[in-house]
Amino acid sequence: MSETSHISVQNVHKVFESGGQEVHALKAINLEIPQGQFVCLLGPSGCGKSTLLNAVAGFSLPTTGLITVEGAVITEPGPDRGMVFQEYALFPWMTVEQNVAFGLQIKGVEKAAIEAKVAELLAMLNLTDFRKRFPKDLSGGMRQRVAIARVLALDSPIMLMDEPFGALDALTRRNLQDELLRIWTELQKTILFVTHSIEEALYLADRTVVMTYRPGTVKCDIPVDLPRPRDVASPAFNALKKDLSQLLMEEQSRHNQAEFRGAAVD
Amino acid sequence: MKRYRHAASGVLVPLAAIGFWQLLSSMGWVNATILPSPMAVLVKWWAYLRPLEVFDPAQGSYLQWCFSGELIHDALGSLYRVLLGFVIGAGLALPLGLTMGYSKVAYALFNPLVQVLRPIPPIAYIPLSILWFGLGNPPAVFLISIGAFFPVLMNTVTGVQNVDSIYLRVGRNLGASRLTQFTRIILPAATPYIFTGARIGMGTAFIVVIVSEMIAVNNGLGYRILEAREYLWSDKIIAGMFTIGLLGLGIDTLMSRLSSHLLKWHRGLEQG
Ligand SMILES: Nc1ncnc2c1ncn2[C@@H]1O[C@H](COP(=O)(O)OP(=O)(O)OP(=O)(O)O)[C@@H](O)[C@H]1O
Ligand SMILES: [Mg+2]
C-alpha cells in the first residue's frame, strides 16, 4: 500500500452464491487511488462495477482481499464515503428537501445551517421549485438529481457514484458533469464513478479503469491526460475514445458469447 | 356534469330496492311484523333519534337536550367501546409488532404463540371474558381489543419485515444510528401496512362491539336491536341495523381519509 493512496483495493475477490452456483463477480482487483483523483469505471453490464463500489462503500465486504481508506481497513459503511445508488433509493416518505437534509440532520448540523445548505444544493441542481414534492411525483431525472444532492450534502471526502447521470437528458447531463467537476476541483474529493458512456468517462476522469466480464477483473487502466475543460470534439479526445471503444467492444463480445453459451447450456 | 350523473347512478339501485320494499309492504304481501314498510322504519328511526322528554332548561342546555335521544345515547355508547377497545388492542399490538418485525429473536419467541391464538375468533372469548370480567363494559372492551389486536399485529410485523433493504443501506451510508434508522426509516416505511392493519382492526372491532353488546351490556346499538326483537319491534330492529351500517361506514371513511392524508407520499393510495 502506497502512502499517497486514498483508497487502496488489494487483491479483492468477490464470490456470490446464487442457486448453488458460484458467481465470480470480482477477481484479483488491485487499485491504488490517490487523494483527489477522479476515477471512472467502465465495463459491460454485469461485470461487477456495482459490486466493487458496494465493497468500497462497505455494504458487502470482499470475499478475500482488503480495501483500505487512508490506511484503515473498511468494515462497514460510513458517511465518509457518500454513495449515489444506481436505483436512486430516495426515501419516498420524505419530500425532496427532507431527503437532502437527512444526512445533515444525522450529522447534527444546526437547523439554520441545514436550511442554507439544502437551499444551495437545490438551487444548484435546479430542484428549488420541487422541494416540497415527494419522490413519486418526480421524473427519473429529477430523482437522480435529488440523490446527487443528498450525497453532496454529506460533503464526504470520497464520493462513490453508480451511474448517477444515466437517466438524464444530454443537456442536464452535461450541466451536472460540469457541476461535479467544479465541486471536485474545489473540494478536492476522491471520486469513483461508474458509467456506461465512454464519452462521459473521458470527459470527467483522470483515469479510466476498464473491467472484464465474469470474472470481473481490471482489463486496463488508462490515464486520461487531456487538459480541462475538455473538448469532446478535439482529435485527442476522439483518438482516446476510439481506443476505448475498441477495448470495450472486445469485452462486450466476450460477454455476448458467454451469454450465448449460457443460453445453449440451458 | 359527469360527476352528477355518477352520483345519480349511485342512488339508483338503493332507490329501486326501497321502492320494491315499499311495494311489498303496501300490497300487503308480507306481514308488517316480519318486514315493516320503509316508511314505518323511517318513522321509528326518527322516534328513536328524538329526545324522549320535552325541552326543559332546568335539566341542561339545548344542545344536551338535542343529544338526549335513545339512538344517540346508544351510538355514543357503541362508539366509546369501539374506540377504547381499539386503542387498547392496537396500542398493545403496535409495539409488539414493531419488535417482532425488527428482531428475529423476538419473532422466533412470540410467533408460535401468536399463530396459535390468531385463528381463535374474538367471539370464542365470550365465555371466558364474562368469567373474568363479569358483565358491563370491561368484557366488551376486552373482546373488542382482541378483535383489533391481531390485524394490527400481523400487518405491523409484515410492514417492518418488508422494508426495502436499499433504504437501510442508504441510512447506513448517511451514518444513521440504529435509533434513527428505526424512527426515520423503518417506521415510516412500514406505515402503509400499519394503517391497513388499523383499518381492518377497526372493522373487526366494530363487528365485535355489536356482538358483545348483545351479551354483556344493556345499552348500545347491539343491545338495542336484540331488545327490540323481544318485543317484536321489527321496525326498530331495522332502524338500528341501518344506524350500525351508517356508523361503520362513517368510521371506515374517516380511517381511510386519515390514512390517505398521512400517506400522501405513497404511490398506491391516490384512490383514497
Ligand atoms: N447479491 C448477489 N447475489 C448473487 N449474484 C450477484 C449479486 N450481486 C451481483 N451479483 C452478480 O455479480 C455480477 C456483477 O454484478 P454488478 O451488479 O456488480 O454488475 P454491474 O457491473 O454493476 O452491472 P450494471 O452495469 O448492469 O449495473 C453479476 O453477474 C451479478 O449477477
Ligand atoms: Mg451496476
Side-chain angles (χ1 to χ4, degrees):
Chain A
M1 176 185 50
S2 78
E3 282 303 304
T4 53
S5 278
H6 193 186
I7 306 171
S8 164
V9 179
Q10 298 161 32
N11 199 23
V12 162
H13 292 250
K14 180 79 193 183
V15 183
F16 288 113
E17 289 279 356
S18 92
Q21 279 201 326
E22 288 196 342
V23 175
H24 227 121
L26 296 176
K27 186 175 182 185
I29 304 272
N30 283 289
L31 279 177
E32 297 295 326
I33 303 174
Q35 155 71 42
Q37 196 170 54
F38 199 136
V39 180
C40 275
L41 283 176
L42 268 172
S45 181
C47 71
K49 304 181 295 293
S50 296
T51 305
L52 180 56
L53 229 58
N54 272 315
V56 177
F59 290 123
S60 91
L61 300 176
T63 312
T64 60
L66 271 191
I67 300 178
T68 64
V69 166
E70 282 168 359
V73 177
I74 286 175
T75 55
E76 60 177 8
D80 60 320
R81 284 154 281 140
M83 175 126 165
V84 179
F85 291 85
Q86 198 170 0
E87 313 86 325
Y88 320 152
L90 301 178
F91 298 118
W93 53 88
M94 295 187 191
T95 60
V96 166
E97 60 185 359
Q98 286 168 339
N99 263 289
V100 178
F102 190 41
L104 295 166
Q105 288 166 350
I106 290 170
K107 265 192 185 174
V109 178
E110 61 176 286
K111 218 168 165 240
I114 292 180
E115 275 171 25
K117 182 80 188 170
V118 169
E120 178 198 323
L121 285 167
L122 293 183
M124 186 169 110
L125 291 156
N126 287 325
L127 287 165
T128 308
D129 291 345
F130 309 103
R131 65 186 188 280
K132 299 276 184 222
R133 287 218 197 158
F134 288 105
K136 74 167 167 92
D137 300 324
L138 300 176
S139 70
M142 286 166 160
R143 285 182 207 166
Q144 207 156 45
R145 280 182 276 153
V146 179
I148 294 162
R150 179 169 68 183
V151 161
L152 288 179
L154 276 184
D155 201 13
S156 50
I158 294 175
M159 296 215 299
L160 307 168
M161 309 180 88
D162 202 345
E163 295 183 39
F165 302 151
L168 302 177
D169 61 279
L171 194 67
T172 316
R173 179 184 262 240
R174 179 51 40 89
N175 283 340
L176 284 182
Q177 286 168 344
D178 289 335
E179 202 53 62
L180 182 63
L181 285 173
R182 192 186 64 74
I183 291 164
W184 167 70
T185 339
E186 193 177 305
L187 303 172
Q188 301 277 303
K189 293 182 186 301
T190 305
I191 299 182
L192 199 52
F193 187 108
V194 172
T195 176
H196 272 131
S197 156
I198 297 171
E199 181 171 306
E200 180 165 69
L202 291 179
Y203 189 72
L204 293 173
D206 290 323
R207 167 182 174 196
T208 302
V209 174
V210 179
M211 290 178 66
T212 62
Y213 178 78
R214 284 199 188 175
T217 57
V218 174
K219 183 180 175 91
C220 54
D221 191 337
I222 300 165
V224 185
D225 288 327
L226 305 171
R228 289 189 173 93
R230 290 180 182 156
D231 177 5
V232 295
S234 72
F237 191 99
N238 281 295
L240 255 177
K241 193 170 160 182
K242 210 168 154 194
D243 292 349
L244 265 177
S245 303
Q246 190 60 42
L247 283 166
L248 265 175
M249 285 257 272
E250 278 170 37
E251 219 30 61
Q252 192 67 49
S253 69
R254 258 182 26 86
H255 173 180
N256 291 345
Q257 275 165 22
E259 293 222 316
F260 182 72
R261 275 199 303 276
V265 169
D266 292 343
Chain B
M1 199 57 217
K2 209 170 182 178
R3 216 169 138 192
Y4 290 123
R5 208 176 300 156
H6 224 78
S9 63
V11 296
L12 221 61
V13 171
L15 275 181
I18 292 171
F20 179 64
W21 176 12
Q22 180 69 52
L23 193 71
L24 282 181
S25 319
S26 37
M27 301 301 282
W29 289 338
V30 287
N31 183 332
T33 319
I34 305 289
L35 186 68
S37 75
M39 213 42 218
V41 169
L42 198 66
V43 169
K44 193 64 179 192
W45 195 77
W46 175 242
Y48 183 20
L49 178 70
R50 235 183 37 204
L52 293 172
E53 277 131 44
V54 284
F55 178 54
D56 173 9
Q59 295 288 320
S61 72
Y62 185 71
L63 202 68
Q64 248 172 343
W65 176 77
C66 277
F67 284 97
S68 69
E70 199 185 26
L71 183 144
I72 305 272
H73 191 87
D74 285 335
L76 287 179
S78 298
L79 202 61
Y80 167 76
R81 282 183 276 271
V82 165
L83 292 183
L84 186 62
F86 177 80
V87 166
I88 293 174
L92 292 171
L94 188 65
L96 180 61
L98 293 173
T99 317
M100 281 175 68
Y102 188 66
S103 145
K104 288 206 169 66
V105 176
Y107 187 80
L109 283 175
F110 286 99
N111 193 47
L113 182 63
V114 168
Q115 292 308 336
V116 170
L117 294 181
R118 191 171 64 107
I120 305 174
I123 316 296
Y125 286 88
I126 288 175
L128 205 58
S129 71
I130 291 176
L131 205 61
W132 286 355
F133 300 100
L135 293 176
N137 271 339
V141 171
F142 171 72
L143 292 171
I144 296 161
S145 48
I146 287 179
F149 181 81
F150 286 101
V152 175
L153 180 73
M154 300 325 289
N155 279 276
T156 305
V157 172
T158 312
V160 174
Q161 286 176 343
N162 282 2
V163 175
D164 194 337
S165 66
I166 186 96
Y167 299 133
L168 300 174
R169 284 205 278 159
V170 176
R172 286 167 70 203
N173 188 240
L174 297 176
S177 65
R178 279 175 152 262
L179 182 67
T180 309
Q181 291 254 32
F182 192 80
T183 55
R184 303 278 316 264
I185 299 176
I186 293 174
L187 204 56
T191 44
Y193 285 88
I194 297 174
F195 281 169
T196 304
R199 204 166 152 191
I200 300 171
M202 190 59 109
T204 317
F206 200 72
I207 294 169
V208 177
V209 75
I210 302 301
V211 176
S212 68
E213 283 170 350
M214 290 181 167
I215 286 138
V217 274
N218 49 19
N219 62 53
L221 296 165
Y223 169 78
R224 201 62 63 197
I225 60 176
L226 205 68
E227 182 200 47
R229 196 212 53 151
E230 311 241 318
Y231 300 103
L232 298 178
W233 291 337
S234 45
D235 46 2
K236 193 167 181 181
I237 296 178
I238 296 175
M241 285 170 65
F242 275 119
T243 312
I244 291 168
L246 289 176
L247 196 64
L249 178 67
I251 292 176
D252 193 58
T253 309
L254 232 109
M255 293 285 284
S256 116
R257 287 274 167 81
L258 182 73
S259 79
S260 48
H261 175 74
L262 291 173
L263 297 178
K264 273 195 297 248
W265 55 269
H266 197 251
R267 274 170 183 284
L269 272 144
E270 274 98 326
Q271 78 276 23

